[in-house]
Amino acid sequence: MILLNFSHPLSAAQRSQIEALTGQAIAVLHDLPVQFDVQQPFEPQLTELLQRVPLSPLDWQTQPLLIVLPALNFITAMLLADLHGRMGYFPTVVRLRPVAGSTPPTYEVAELLNLQALRERARQARTPAAGG
């Protein structure tokens, strides 16, 4: 699996947790730190960020991808919209959480969020009931 990390570097323990949750080895890890200038428009900065991802159009659609999202919500929203366009579906993302009581603060992998499955369940909620 290919892991695209748009956040802080992942520790060996976090990478092991991801592999345990997916049941797959991380074949390739691309660290793509996100640092946008909040005084400038975000779309050109997103385009520049995604140009750094060494994947072909075919890779985006066929390779098993897992995503660690950036922290800033506006960038995350734009990134997910762009990734959906490239991939044809919403990706699965890694949710990290702080380890309670850790000093200095450390983070562990909490869960994997299958956004495409969530979207498909949500579509069921908008379908009107028969005969209603």
Side-chain angles (χ1 to χ4, degrees):
M1 132 187 77
I2 298 171
L3 180 58
L4 301 178
N5 179 20
F6 295 97
S7 189
H8 299 283
L10 297 170
S11 68
Q14 291 166 329
R15 292 190 306 272
S16 292
Q17 290 170 332
I18 290 168
E19 290 179 334
L21 286 170
T22 62
Q24 299 178 52
I26 298 170
V28 179
L29 169 60
H30 294 295
D31 282 311
L32 303 150
V34 175
Q35 191 68 39
F36 281 19
D37 180 346
V38 297
Q39 300 303 317
Q40 299 299 317
F42 276 7
E43 191 169 351
Q45 295 179 78
L46 179 68
T47 299
E48 183 179 319
L49 171 67
L50 289 169
Q51 288 173 346
R52 295 185 1 229
V53 179
L55 298 177
S56 71
L58 184 63
D59 291 337
W60 283 109
Q61 296 174 65
T62 62
Q63 295 299 312
L65 300 174
L66 191 62
I67 311 295
V68 180
L69 294 169
L72 189 59
N73 60 343
F74 303 110
I75 298 170
T76 292
M78 293 176 68
L79 179 63
L80 286 173
D82 190 288
L83 292 179
H84 187 282
R86 290 169 189 261
M87 299 168 69
Y89 60 92
F90 284 107
T92 297
V93 300
V94 177
R95 182 174 76 88
L96 301 173
R97 67 176 168 218
V99 174
S102 63
T103 304
T106 57
Y107 294 82
E108 65 186 357
V109 176
E111 62 184 325
L112 302 178
L113 304 172
N114 183 332
L115 299 183
Q116 184 63 31
L118 178 63
R119 178 192 183 277
E120 290 167 5
R121 286 190 300 275
R123 284 189 55 89
Q124 296 300 315
R126 81 174 194 187
T127 305

